[in-house]
Amino acid sequence: MVRESGNEAQRPFWSGRPVIDCDLHNEVPSLEVLRPYLADHWCDYIEESAFRGPDADDYPKGAPTTIRPGLEWEGEVEGQLALMRRQVLDPLQVEFGVLDCAYRVQGVHDPELAGALASAINRWQAEHWLDRDPRLRASIVAPTQSPVLAAREIDRWGADARFVQAVMPVRSLIPYGNRIYDPIYEAAARHDLVVGIQFGGSPGHPPTPSGWLSTYLEEYAAMAQVFQSQVTSLIVEGVFDRFPDLRVSLIEAGCTWMPSLMWRLDKEWRGLRRDIPWVKRPPSDYIRRHIRLTLQPVDAPPSGKQLLEVIGQLDSDEMLMFATDHPHWHFDRLEEAFPAGLSDSLARRVLADNARSFYRL
Amino acid sequence: MAEHVVATLGEIPPGGRKIAEVEGRSIGVFNLDGQFFAVLNRCPHQGGPLCLGQQSGLLQARVPGEYSYTRVGEIVRCPWHGWEFDLKTGRSWFDPVRTRVRSYRVRVEMRESEGGGCGEEAGHRPGPYRAETFPVSVRQQYVVVEIP
Ligand code: FES
């Protein structure tokens, strides 16, 4: 059941063009829905151990960033999907919508249970989401804290073209450039999938390099630092030299920090590149070639002016991909999901073309 | 074009270098295995004394772990921010086309120098006896930098 207050979504002025939404959330409403996809011993284990699911709260219920107040659904997929259709897919005439399930199996310490949950989630995604709306594409949930098991899960779905990426939470046990993650990148390369690095995660250590924080606001805003560390790690550790075709999307990362990271890495690389001789081109070059960012939440003032400046500073009109991040709450009216002031050709790129070529849609 | 003798051959042995003042600029002259190369001692980045930097090899890798280390001694790293320059061409490693340090042609050639004076300049007065004298000159090899 959906309760909805206020404005019914209307078609915004910018949406006469093709639209691909690169970040829609499908939430596992409870462990209950996964039961049909779990082996009996896991069902009993969950019962006996009073396991309630992963200990992660990236989107706390009631936080205004999580969902628009007065717009909660009660549990069921039907409600979520109906809301998604009514608020995003239909009014924007979305051609493809990429689901980014944020169920954090990566925080489950038993790797076998984490793997079983991931498999269950992916089957649930296929049956309850992908089978129900042909516009939807999905992200493979995988126990990325156990790269070999994660690779197995990616292989399981690699042939289903509706799964277009594998997701990893940006907060990881150790940085993603480390070679222990190679099985994941190999699997992604095998199936020509994007690796999506997504806001959140709870690996067990503090959410910033300087330690534990007091408030959700700090954690939410500081996530940009974690993204920066991961981008740096991927480049410095030579992931893109080892996997020259790997594509990485940064989901809900913001984008205005990216130019300064590019400048900084390029600058330091000139003098320190002997530490990393496999990095043969300026790091910004790798970033432009291999990395894309989803649009919402935009970490710039609402006018399009600053965003245009950022796109100029990125020196690429291919890096941003439209996303509403539905149902997370970043704008009051759908109209505001996309900034004004972009030229028609740039708007087309950001709204659909960039994602189409990146995700091979 | 002007030629300047900056050192005798023996002053810059293989692996050695000398910084010389030539026409008001500081130039580093390097002996790489018997071949001489000269570059301006002023880094194109922010003007650091490039020729005082560490000389080392060219470190490359296709992927992490596959190191190749070649041309040992032919790369100089600016002491200020570590930019690497090829001593043979003056080109930087990271942007060889646009970021380069001025380089100069160097030759080694045999030249003659006149023998020293007889001491009168130093204040000695000639005595009453004179021995028979012979003109002396030294033929040796010099390192010559060409300034265009
Ligand atoms: S002055 Fe030489 S590297 Fe900066």
Side-chain angles (χ1 to χ4, degrees):
Chain A
M1 193 198 90
V2 180
R3 283 185 282 119
E4 208 173 336
S5 74
N7 34 48
E8 200 53 30
Q10 292 192 339
R11 270 195 98 194
F13 71 93
W14 42 265
S15 76
R17 311 175 177 99
V19 173
I20 295 175
D21 189 335
C22 293
D23 187 28
L24 294 166
H25 288 275
N26 52 341
E27 196 182 313
V28 177
S30 71
L31 266 176
E32 265 325 287
V33 304
L34 301 181
R35 272 180 166 277
Y37 309 105
L38 287 167
D40 288 346
H41 71 96
W42 285 126
C43 290
D44 282 358
Y45 172 87
I46 287 169
E47 197 79 26
E48 291 158 13
S49 65
F51 175 75
R52 296 228 175 87
D55 176 25
D57 219 358
D58 297 330
Y59 306 105
K61 288 206 166 44
T65 43
T66 299
I67 195 162
R68 195 189 305 179
L71 202 157
E72 297 83 16
W73 62 79
E74 271 159 25
E76 291 317 310
V77 172
E78 288 72 18
Q80 288 187 54
L81 185 55
L83 193 69
M84 195 179 281
R85 283 177 174 147
R86 193 161 61 247
Q87 294 198 316
V88 179
L89 298 177
D90 296 344
L92 293 184
Q93 294 180 340
V94 167
E95 197 180 335
F96 297 107
V98 181
L99 299 170
D100 286 315
C101 182
Y103 196 84
R104 297 293 180 222
V105 300
Q106 301 84 4
V108 174
H109 291 285
D110 180 334
E112 292 300 334
L113 176 57
L117 287 170
S119 285
I121 290 165
N122 293 325
R123 289 177 59 195
W124 170 80
Q125 295 200 83
E127 282 179 28
H128 288 270
W129 293 85
L130 298 179
D131 287 352
R132 285 187 183 175
D133 198 311
R135 294 170 290 187
L136 293 177
R137 296 293 177 269
S139 304
I140 299 168
V141 173
T144 49
Q145 73 277 41
S146 307
V148 172
L149 293 186
R152 208 164 68 191
E153 189 59 27
I154 294 169
D155 283 337
R156 204 166 272 147
W157 299 98
D160 186 334
R162 299 173 303 172
F163 284 91
V164 293
Q165 74 183 345
V167 281
M168 326 205 273
V170 69
R171 291 184 56 204
S172 60
L173 207 51
I174 49 173
Y176 283 137
N178 194 290
R179 270 169 269 183
I180 70 157
Y181 293 106
D182 279 5
I184 295 176
Y185 303 132
E186 281 160 10
R190 240 184 334 268
H191 305 291
D192 198 25
L193 291 167
V194 170
V195 169
I197 299 183
Q198 189 188 48
F199 176 96
S202 59
H205 50 57
T208 72
S210 43
W212 292 101
L213 308 168
S214 306
T215 64
Y216 181 60
L217 184 151
E218 289 168 276
E219 190 171 325
Y220 190 80
M223 208 68 79
Q225 303 169 18
V226 192
F227 276 101
Q228 294 184 34
S229 310
Q230 297 290 19
V231 170
T232 305
S233 170
L234 289 171
I235 290 166
V236 165
E237 302 257 14
V239 171
F240 299 118
D241 300 285
R242 285 178 280 130
F243 303 95
D245 297 322
L246 189 68
R247 290 117 65 210
V248 172
S249 65
L250 306 182
I251 302 163
E252 297 166 58
C255 62
T256 59
W257 48 266
M258 187 56 111
S260 74
L261 183 70
M262 288 168 142
W263 294 326
R264 183 73 195 260
L265 289 177
D266 283 4
K267 177 169 186 264
E268 307 308 345
W269 170 76
R270 290 175 182 172
L272 296 172
R273 71 109 210 152
R274 285 168 70 94
D275 285 352
I276 49 168
W278 44 88
V279 176
K280 300 162 204 79
R281 307 183 310 275
S284 64
D285 224 70
Y286 286 81
I287 292 173
R288 274 183 217 102
R289 199 173 297 201
H290 296 277
I291 294 179
R292 299 289 179 269
L293 304 130
T294 65
L295 189 65
Q296 290 290 349
V298 179
D299 50 350
S303 93
K305 191 167 150 273
Q306 279 83 359
L307 195 69
L308 272 173
E309 277 169 20
V310 171
I311 292 173
Q313 290 165 348
L314 289 170
D315 200 12
S316 165
D317 50 12
E318 293 176 7
M319 287 187 65
L320 298 185
M321 304 189 297
F322 177 72
T324 56
D325 191 20
H326 183 271
H328 303 156
W329 190 34
H330 309 300
F331 39 84
D332 287 323
R333 295 174 304 126
L334 196 52
E335 175 113 347
E336 295 160 15
F338 191 75
L342 276 60
S343 69
D344 179 59
S345 70
L346 185 56
R348 281 177 187 279
R349 278 183 178 280
V350 176
L351 281 167
D353 294 351
N354 290 345
R356 196 189 309 283
S357 63
F358 197 62
Y359 283 111
R360 319 247 197 266
L361 292 170
Chain B
M1 188 193 75
E3 296 183 347
H4 295 267
V5 173
V6 293
T8 61
L9 183 60
E11 267 182 88
I12 315 179
R17 67 178 107 173
K18 178 176 179 178
I19 311 243
E21 277 309 308
V22 180
E23 289 185 12
R25 36 198 137 175
S26 174
I27 290 176
V29 185
F30 295 80
N31 179 342
L32 304 179
D33 253 342
Q35 273 188 295
F36 283 85
F37 299 89
V39 297
L40 191 64
N41 182 23
R42 190 183 145 78
C43 178
H45 179 216
Q46 289 181 355
L50 178 61
C51 297
L52 299 180
Q54 185 89 33
Q55 269 173 270
S56 57
L58 179 65
L59 184 61
Q60 293 173 293
R62 193 182 63 81
V63 292
E66 286 185 12
Y67 295 98
S68 103
Y69 195 51
T70 54
R71 304 187 54 198
V72 176
E74 297 180 15
I75 307 294
V76 68
R77 275 144 65 198
C78 178
W80 280 10
H81 313 101
W83 290 13
E84 294 163 280
F85 292 87
D86 184 336
L87 284 171
K88 291 191 164 174
T89 62
R91 294 172 188 270
S92 68
W93 182 89
F94 69 87
D95 184 11
V97 176
R98 279 180 305 172
T99 305
R100 38 205 304 195
V101 61
R102 163 111 236 173
S103 64
Y104 301 92
R105 285 163 59 112
V106 189
R107 279 183 291 122
V108 174
E109 60 180 34
M110 195 65 90
R111 289 196 177 199
E112 285 194 7
S113 73
E114 294 301 315
C118 65
E120 275 177 66
E121 306 86 349
H124 292 282
R125 277 188 293 116
Y129 308 105
R130 257 178 187 278
E132 196 177 356
T133 60
F134 301 92
V136 176
S137 73
V138 180
R139 280 178 67 82
Q140 64 167 331
Q141 289 189 299
Y142 289 93
V143 179
V144 178
V145 170
E146 292 177 10
I147 306 287

